[in-house]
Amino acid sequence: MMKEYIEEAEKALLHTYNRYQIVLDKGEGVYLYDIEGKKYLDFVSGIAVFALGYGNKAYNDALKAQIDKLIHTSNYYYNVPAIEAAKKLKKVSGMDRVFFTNSGAEAVEGAIKAARKYAYLKDGRTDHEIIAMEHSFHGRTMGALSVTGNPGYREAFGPMIGNIKFARMNDLDSVKELITEKTCAILFETVQGEGGIYPAGKEFMEGVKALCEEKDILLILDEIQCGMGRTGTMYAWQRYGVMPDIMTTAKALGCGVPVGAFLMTERVAAHSLTSGDHGTTYGGNPLAAAAVNKALDLFEENHIIENVNVVAPYLEEKLDLLAEKYDYIEGRRGLGLMQGLVCKGPVGDIISKALDNGLILINAGAEIIRLVPPLIITKENVDEMVAILEMCLPV
Ligand SMILES: *Cc1c(COP(=O)(O)O)cnc(C)c1O
């Protein structure tokens, strides 16, 4: 049955993904089921999206109620779910202004525009530069791709948007060297996801922030993957005490409903995008906003971040043990429930074997196994994951 569906998919869908050979059907908690009824422990959560796990009743009921009431209305009118979602997002982030988008890439696009506009209002130039990082990932649209530090993703699609320079993450001097009077923003992921799970160092964060303040350059932090509680604080920068001027959030923001946002401080908002400068048809529509609302409520009610801080050290300990035990594993990197097992060779076979054995994993680059489970996982789930993974690691 799965085989036929997969054949049909390959005839109809554009082949931009090398998909794993399963057709998923439903989810329950931290488990997914394929259409033939096989059960999988999920350590990917739709790539750091389904933080609350699958089939959360309160979340589903809130969405169903909103569907019956109003799914969409234009951003030319106000809607209550978006107002409440923005208020809650301000509260958990400490930022001042919110613009809702449909995706992470769209949030990055908005962040870039906001930074360029801020600099433009200051000096009238239209040739501002942005410093991004090597190994970064910010999305697949042209602007987001232009700041993505993976030449392989960019090459065929040139020309990129201009005046982007790449520094090395955690190398403050490499950032300093690139700063000119045209630099309007420094942009990076607080914890690099796609590029290999590299957390920013505290000194780097503080150093970049100081540079930004000194030269009135905007610090943009991409929290699309590492935000929403994943590293043990609502946003990863909060553990460093280094606040960005603009930040992006998406993935787990709606816990499954496509929604993102870029946020900024009042200082930026007062001298940046204004009426007519930016828009989106769907962004922050009542259904998406209801998802954000309920997700943020449930994070609090269900003590999601507390759970991350209980389970993450246990996960780290177990992964460190694996790294000691298996020659193929070089080490572990990550923060909270965003972890990478750095291997000495390709991890594709390990991930495929895990799938056969009922465990969903994903890579981050060719040689890193990425673990970004639902934030509701328990220590027992960690043990279960380790037991399956051990069956798949080369000895
Ligand atoms: C996933 C991701 C994006 C892109 O988000 P989409 O919703 O896929 O457009 C951008 N930045 C980071 C850090 C991401 O992990």
Side-chain angles (χ1 to χ4, degrees):
M1 187 160 70
M2 285 214 293
K3 197 167 155 287
E4 285 83 66
Y5 274 118
I6 290 168
E7 275 170 18
E8 281 180 30
E10 289 308 326
K11 279 185 211 147
L13 293 168
L14 190 65
H15 193 99
T16 53
Y17 284 96
N18 286 321
R19 291 175 219 268
Y20 293 100
Q21 299 297 298
I22 56 171
V23 183
L24 291 170
D25 184 39
K26 60 177 186 177
E28 209 180 287
V30 298
Y31 297 98
L32 282 168
Y33 297 82
D34 69 24
I35 56 171
E36 291 173 359
K38 182 172 165 182
K39 183 179 179 183
Y40 302 85
L41 174 63
D42 181 17
F43 262 64
V44 176
S45 58
I47 315 204
V49 168
F50 251 98
L52 297 168
Y54 304 97
N56 181 299
K57 191 173 179 320
Y59 173 84
N60 289 358
D61 286 347
L63 288 188
K64 287 174 195 166
Q66 189 59 50
I67 285 171
D68 287 336
K69 222 171 161 186
L70 181 65
I71 294 176
H72 177 77
T73 180
S74 161
N75 276 314
Y76 281 107
Y77 316 98
Y78 297 98
N79 74 77
V80 175
I83 296 165
E84 287 182 345
K87 237 167 50 184
K88 284 174 196 167
L89 200 48
K90 279 178 59 172
K91 181 160 168 254
V92 297
S93 68
M95 307 293 285
D96 300 316
R97 299 261 169 193
V98 183
F99 184 103
F100 287 112
T101 65
N102 303 288
S103 70
E106 192 190 345
V108 172
E109 298 287 334
I112 292 172
K113 280 180 72 176
R116 282 186 167 181
K117 180 77 192 285
Y118 177 88
Y120 169 78
L121 288 177
K122 219 171 45 178
D123 62 18
R125 300 182 78 120
T126 54
D127 59 351
H128 289 108
E129 297 169 351
I130 295 174
I131 299 174
M133 301 297 144
E134 292 173 4
H135 303 296
S136 61
F137 182 82
H138 299 290
R140 303 296 198 145
T141 53
M142 288 311 303
L145 189 60
S146 299
V147 290
T148 287
N150 179 338
Y153 285 179
R154 294 197 308 262
E155 183 171 298
F157 307 103
M160 297 288 111
I161 67 165
N163 294 11
I164 310 294
K165 295 171 166 180
F166 291 95
R168 284 180 298 279
M169 183 90 161
N170 291 331
D171 179 349
L172 190 59
D173 287 334
S174 77
V175 178
K176 275 186 192 157
E177 279 166 20
L178 297 179
I179 291 180
T180 71
E181 76 281 1
K182 294 195 276 184
T183 309
C184 71
I186 300 173
L187 157 69
F188 59 94
E189 301 152 82
T190 317
V191 182
Q192 287 187 330
E194 215 71 27
I197 319 287
Y198 292 97
K202 190 163 166 57
E203 271 177 42
F204 182 73
M205 287 282 277
E206 288 170 351
V208 171
K209 178 73 183 176
L211 274 177
C212 287
E213 281 181 351
E214 187 193 320
K215 300 182 188 290
D216 197 19
I217 293 168
L218 298 180
L219 173 60
I220 307 175
L221 291 178
D222 183 342
E223 289 264 348
I224 289 168
Q225 189 162 159
C226 61
M228 286 298 288
R230 182 149 297 276
T231 70
T233 50
M234 187 53 98
Y235 286 100
W237 60 261
Q238 289 165 336
R239 73 152 62 209
Y240 299 80
V242 172
M243 190 174 184
D245 301 295
I246 302 175
M247 67 166 255
T248 58
T249 178
K251 288 199 162 86
L253 178 62
C255 283
V257 171
V259 60
F262 62 98
L263 293 86
M264 60 190 83
T265 60
E266 193 61 43
R267 181 177 78 88
V268 178
H271 305 281
S272 178
L273 301 176
T274 183
S275 333
D277 274 346
H278 199 56
T280 175
T281 297
Y282 286 128
N285 85 6
L287 181 62
V292 175
N293 261 319
K294 200 62 193 179
L296 289 173
D297 286 349
L298 290 170
F299 261 67
E300 208 172 299
E301 283 164 32
N302 296 347
H303 309 288
I304 297 296
I305 291 178
E306 288 86 336
N307 187 60
V308 172
N309 287 317
V310 169
V311 179
Y314 187 76
L315 174 64
E316 288 181 347
E317 183 191 317
K318 294 292 162 181
L319 295 177
D320 285 338
L321 283 173
L322 286 180
E324 261 171 51
K325 187 168 164 191
Y326 291 88
D327 209 36
Y328 199 67
I329 303 175
E330 204 166 274
R332 172 193 65 80
R333 243 190 341 247
L335 281 181
L337 291 181
M338 181 172 180
Q339 296 286 338
L341 271 179
V342 185
C343 293
K344 289 182 178 154
V347 297
D349 283 352
I350 300 171
I351 291 172
S352 296
K353 249 192 199 164
L355 204 58
D356 291 342
N357 287 289
L359 170 64
I360 296 188
L361 295 171
I362 198 157
N363 63 309
E367 301 189 344
I368 295 161
I369 299 171
R370 173 168 32 164
L371 301 112
V372 284
L375 303 184
I376 57 164
I377 59 158
T378 61
K379 291 179 180 176
E380 290 70 38
N381 296 142
V382 171
D383 290 338
E384 196 184 342
M385 179 277 291
V386 168
I388 300 176
L389 183 54
E390 286 210 73
M391 300 191 293
C392 311
L393 287 166
V395 275

